[in-house]
Amino acid sequence: MIRACRPADAAQICAIYNPYVLDTVITFEEEVVAEPEMARRISAATAVLPWLVWEHEGAVAGYAYATPWKVRSAYRFAAESTVYVSPSFVRRGIGTRLYEALIAELRARGMHCVIGGIALPNPASVALHERLGFAKVAQFLEVGLKLGRRVDVGYWELML
């Protein structure tokens, strides 16, 4: 079941997100996020753009959200999207369905485009974005340094 995320989901969101922080270059965040900070992020984000969760038997199995692409006013119809799925629920289509619901919500809110940033290489994320109609528009070389390695970031865009 897909539903709107609530600050009360923060602990479960942290349980999904923090292993990505510690063990991968999927996110460039380098310190785990505490539950109160995640609750604050959820409250701030949902006041502006959608943040959705996939709930399975009362537990959050994945989440997707959008944030403003940039803070300047002229960017107000562009959003950046993110999706994370608990490792125990990957390869079940949850990420795809969350992303589809997020895109539908962004369209309903009158957004013009959505941008997905991907630390490369990440064939699964590239495939997800392209399956949903995103097109690669940029790649920045070695813009991140995490876990002792330099990481490229690609950007995929979907016009809504």
Side-chain angles (χ1 to χ4, degrees), residues 3-24:
R3 63 167 174 78
C5 186
R6 302 180 291 257
D9 296 318
Q12 293 183 75
I13 298 287
C14 286
I16 294 169
Y17 182 63
N18 284 331
Y20 287 101
V21 172
L22 293 173
D23 302 325
T24 77

Side-chain angles (χ1 to χ4, degrees), residues 82-121:
T82 303
V83 62
Y84 287 95
V85 176
S86 171
S88 57
F89 287 93
V90 296
R91 310 248 186 282
R92 295 187 191 185
I94 291 171
T96 299
R97 287 180 272 175
L98 275 166
Y99 225 150
E100 289 170 339
L102 182 69
I103 291 166
E105 181 64 27
L106 291 170
R107 278 192 179 108
R109 292 181 184 213
M111 298 303 290
H112 182 66
C113 66
V114 59
I115 301 159
I118 305 172
L120 300 173

Side-chain angles (χ1 to χ4, degrees), residues 6-154:
R6 302 180 291 257
D9 296 318
Q12 293 183 75
I13 298 287
C14 286
I16 294 169
Y17 182 63
N18 284 331
Y20 287 101
V21 172
L22 293 173
D23 302 325
T24 77
V25 297
I26 289 173
T27 175
F28 282 3
E29 197 149 20
E30 295 183 285
E31 301 290 329
V32 297
V33 179
E35 183 180 341
E37 170 58 16
M38 188 61 77
R40 186 202 64 73
R41 291 180 187 187
I42 293 166
S43 292
T46 55
V48 179
L49 288 169
W51 187 315
L52 306 172
V53 298
W54 180 279
E55 188 176 294
H56 178 76
E57 296 178 357
V60 174
Y63 63 100
Y65 66 92
T67 56
W69 169 243
K70 300 252 185 198
V71 296
R72 302 261 195 281
S73 176
Y75 291 114
R76 69 189 172 277
F77 296 104
E80 184 169 9
S81 56
T82 303
V83 62
Y84 287 95
V85 176
S86 171
S88 57
F89 287 93
V90 296
R91 310 248 186 282
R92 295 187 191 185
I94 291 171
T96 299
R97 287 180 272 175
L98 275 166
Y99 225 150
E100 289 170 339
L102 182 69
I103 291 166
E105 181 64 27
L106 291 170
R107 278 192 179 108
R109 292 181 184 213
M111 298 303 290
H112 182 66
C113 66
V114 59
I115 301 159
I118 305 172
L120 300 173
N122 187 335
S125 188
V126 169
L128 170 63
H129 284 82
E130 292 180 352
R131 192 169 52 251
L132 293 173
F134 286 72
K136 187 175 184 181
V137 294
Q139 182 167 336
F140 297 101
L141 304 178
E142 300 181 356
V143 295
L145 175 63
K146 186 169 178 195
L147 301 176
R149 69 179 236 232
R150 301 225 176 257
V151 183
D152 294 358
V153 176

